[in-house]
Amino acid sequence: MAIGRMAVLGGLMIVLAGCVRSQPLPVAMDVGREIPEPAVPKLTDATAAAGLDGQGAAYVNWLDVENDGHPDLLVDGARLFLNQGPPFYKLAPAPPEVWPGAQRGPVLCVDVNNDGWTDIVSTQGQLWLNQEGKAFQNVAQAWSFTPHKKGNVIGAGDFDGDGWVDLYVGMKEDWNDGKPVYYDAQLWHNEAGTGFREMGREAGVRRKTYARSVLVYDFDGDGDQDIFVGNYRLQANLLWRNDGKGEFKDVAGDWGVAGRRDPALYLDTVTSRRYGPQYGHTIGACLLDLDNDGAMDLFCANLVHKYVGPTQGGYDIRGYVCDDSAIWHREGDRYVDWRTQLAVAPLPIGARGVFQGDELWAGCVAGDVNNDGWTDVFVPQIYNLDYARCRLFLNAGGRRLLDRAQQAGLTTIDSYAGAWADFDGNGRLDLAAGGRLAVGQPSQLHLYRNDGGDGMLNHLWLKVLLLPGDDKRTPLGSIVTVTQNGRTWVQPLTCGTSTYGQQNGPALHFGLGRDDHEVTVAVRWPNGATTTQTASPATTLTLRMPKTP
């Protein structure tokens, strides 16, 4: 199991377990306020129709290889499927000469040389430059890009404000027969589009952890890019705060996102000893604005053991030590867990009769799947178990997250994979995911087409695509604010989300509900320039970064 080995106390076989929590769970109430029922989308399995039948998938990245506006799909970092566009929207395998010698592994799709074409950088030490949509060329050796062999996930941002995309590489572990070894993270500085130089020590990010999720975003609003790292194996998460000069300090504890460590929280009535969470098994994380207050919240998906009690080899206390997944709401310079307020209850801790399964959340990916103006979250679960079904949390007016996966047509188990993109151009987010349809069945790639539904009639949308301008600086880190008839939505332009840096489609997607009024789009670019433009709903607005003021 995920912690790696069962805790056995004194070699004893104990036949009964019980626990007492040292503090009560808070209860959230909306007195006198009606909770809206969100529209449930109809997600139809279009895998075979799209030409993807029979493919496996551990993780997925959407990108636009040819700059034709039709999202393409990269599976497991090595299999590229090009979107053929209308009228059939097939995803056809790229010819071998387009993608020669790609190795399976987590990747990030990002323009590293600011030429306007999306490149692909891999934890396997490959750096593929996009040759104007016709082919990819591996230039890793020429660019001196040699990530550590334990590289596990990549994040991207302009950490020193020079206009070029830098890379943060988080590491996996060496299990070493239950005596795990961990490795320092790396930070690769982009040398003006000609190469990379590793400077993790100078930047202060050399921390040995098992990283599975990296988010790059200006958390403190000071104009430079910070780094959140979701760590596995009962390790604290990191929030690297950028000082503006490309040097970092971990402030996760101060900001409330390190996870929970409270080793005396529970009293076990069988052993008469106290135990408690020692941080979490964080697998995936994503940014979203839960309540449309303009501040980015943080969804953190953990694999959480819940069983406490006798086992064949002794007594298992892992249910005490794993921290629950968190849905952190931004409140000033701190985050507060809103799980209770959002009615997303943790599973109970205990022995048989109390134990209802582990919380096996293996990622999280945000998107407004029903175009009602409130951001939803897809959560895959890992392991070949019946209860490890994926979740689709629909956002009920910023006050509840309601799981409607089954009603929407999502029933897969056992996967890390998930990312949103409007692959057929109809303004509704479709889902690339993985998993099994039932216990014991093959794990495969699934493409779910969003066919709307009665509750989504006349729900409108807007897409915003941000590109480099004439001075060829990266637009990563831009903040987009959309206003319409007294309502406001905010999204940052980031790169990578959830587990292994999976990626949604290139365009930022905003659901607008049924309001057909004109919208105003304001962009604060990372070079300090601003752009304001009006647009009609149900359109895609393409904006290029102005020159530095």
Side-chain angles (χ1 to χ4, degrees), residues 87 137 169 253 305 338 357 410 427 458 471 502-504 515 544:
Q137 180 184 4
V169 180
H305 294 284
W338 261 25
L410 301 177
N458 302 318
D471 60 356
Q502 298 180 80
Q503 289 175 274
N504 290 340
D515 196 329
R544 293 190 176 274

Side-chain angles (χ1 to χ4, degrees), residues 16-60:
L16 180 64
C19 66
V20 176
R21 189 183 176 106
S22 62
Q23 61 186 44
L25 284 168
V27 178
M29 299 181 66
D30 282 290
V31 178
R33 300 177 67 194
E34 182 179 355
I35 304 297
E37 178 63 30
V40 178
K42 181 182 179 182
L43 297 176
T44 303
D45 194 331
T47 309
L52 297 174
D53 207 20
Q55 300 287 332
Y59 32 86
V60 292

Side-chain angles (χ1 to χ4, degrees), residues 20 73 83 87 177 208 227 248 274 289 292 303 326 403 499 529 546:
V20 176
L73 183 63
N83 191 332
D177 293 326
K208 290 179 169 61
I227 306 169
F248 296 84
R274 304 195 75 92
D289 186 354
N292 290 345
L303 189 154
D403 181 19
T499 318

Side-chain angles (χ1 to χ4, degrees), residues 225-242:
Q225 300 289 287
D226 310 302
I227 306 169
F228 174 82
V229 183
N231 288 317
Y232 196 65
R233 200 66 72 194
L234 297 182
Q235 296 176 338
N237 299 322
L238 304 173
L239 179 56
W240 292 114
R241 187 176 185 180
N242 192 339

Side-chain angles (χ1 to χ4, degrees), residues 158-369:
D158 180 6
F159 299 129
D160 58 355
D162 64 355
W164 299 93
V165 171
D166 309 306
L167 305 173
Y168 179 99
V169 180
M171 303 299 162
K172 57 187 172 184
E173 69 181 1
D174 181 354
W175 179 237
N176 194 30
D177 293 326
K179 300 177 182 178
V181 177
Y182 300 100
Y183 301 89
D184 286 320
Q186 295 179 325
L187 192 146
W188 291 86
H189 181 261
N190 191 326
E191 305 286 288
T194 63
F196 282 107
R197 176 170 58 92
E198 204 286 307
M199 50 180 299
R201 186 181 300 279
E202 299 95 311
V205 300
R206 286 204 171 172
R207 186 77 62 86
K208 290 179 169 61
T209 70
Y210 184 177
R212 301 189 78 163
S213 185
V214 175
L215 305 176
V216 177
Y217 170 65
D218 182 8
F219 280 84
D220 56 1
D222 64 354
D224 49 52
Q225 300 289 287
D226 310 302
I227 306 169
F228 174 82
V229 183
N231 288 317
Y232 196 65
R233 200 66 72 194
L234 297 182
Q235 296 176 338
N237 299 322
L238 304 173
L239 179 56
W240 292 114
R241 187 176 185 180
N242 192 339
D243 68 356
K245 301 175 183 178
E247 296 182 12
F248 296 84
K249 177 183 178 182
D250 178 27
V251 296
D254 296 335
W255 284 61
V257 295
R260 188 175 49 155
R261 188 179 187 279
D262 190 351
L265 180 60
Y266 304 107
L267 172 64
D268 187 275
T269 59
V270 172
T271 66
S272 299
R273 292 181 60 177
R274 304 195 75 92
Y275 306 93
Q278 299 182 36
Y279 301 117
H281 284 333
T282 297
I283 297 183
C286 66
L287 293 163
L288 73 162
D289 186 354
L290 282 165
D291 54 350
N292 290 345
D293 65 353
M296 287 299 106
D297 308 309
L298 184 59
F299 196 112
C300 192
N302 293 359
L303 189 154
V304 187
H305 294 284
K306 291 292 184 176
Y307 181 73
V308 170
T311 67
Q312 186 175 4
Y315 189 63
D316 192 347
I317 54 92
R318 288 178 299 177
Y320 292 134
V321 301
C322 294
D323 191 13
D324 286 308
S325 304
I327 307 172
W328 283 309
H329 181 258
R330 179 69 176 268
E331 298 183 6
D333 288 342
R334 189 165 176 80
Y335 285 87
V336 176
D337 193 355
W338 261 25
R339 274 194 72 159
T340 301
Q341 181 164 331
L342 294 167
V344 184
L347 291 168
I349 298 171
R352 309 300 176 191
V354 175
F355 178 73
Q356 297 177 16
D358 297 321
E359 186 173 86
L360 303 172
W361 293 8
C364 52
V365 57
D368 187 354
V369 66

Side-chain angles (χ1 to χ4, degrees), residues 472-506:
K472 295 187 176 181
R473 296 174 64 93
T474 179
L476 275 183
S478 299
I479 305 293
V480 177
T481 302
V482 172
T483 56
Q484 182 199 48
N485 202 22
R487 301 182 300 167
T488 300
W489 300 271
V490 177
Q491 286 191 48
L493 181 65
T494 61
C495 184
T497 189
S498 191
T499 318
Y500 301 123
Q502 298 180 80
Q503 289 175 274
N504 290 340

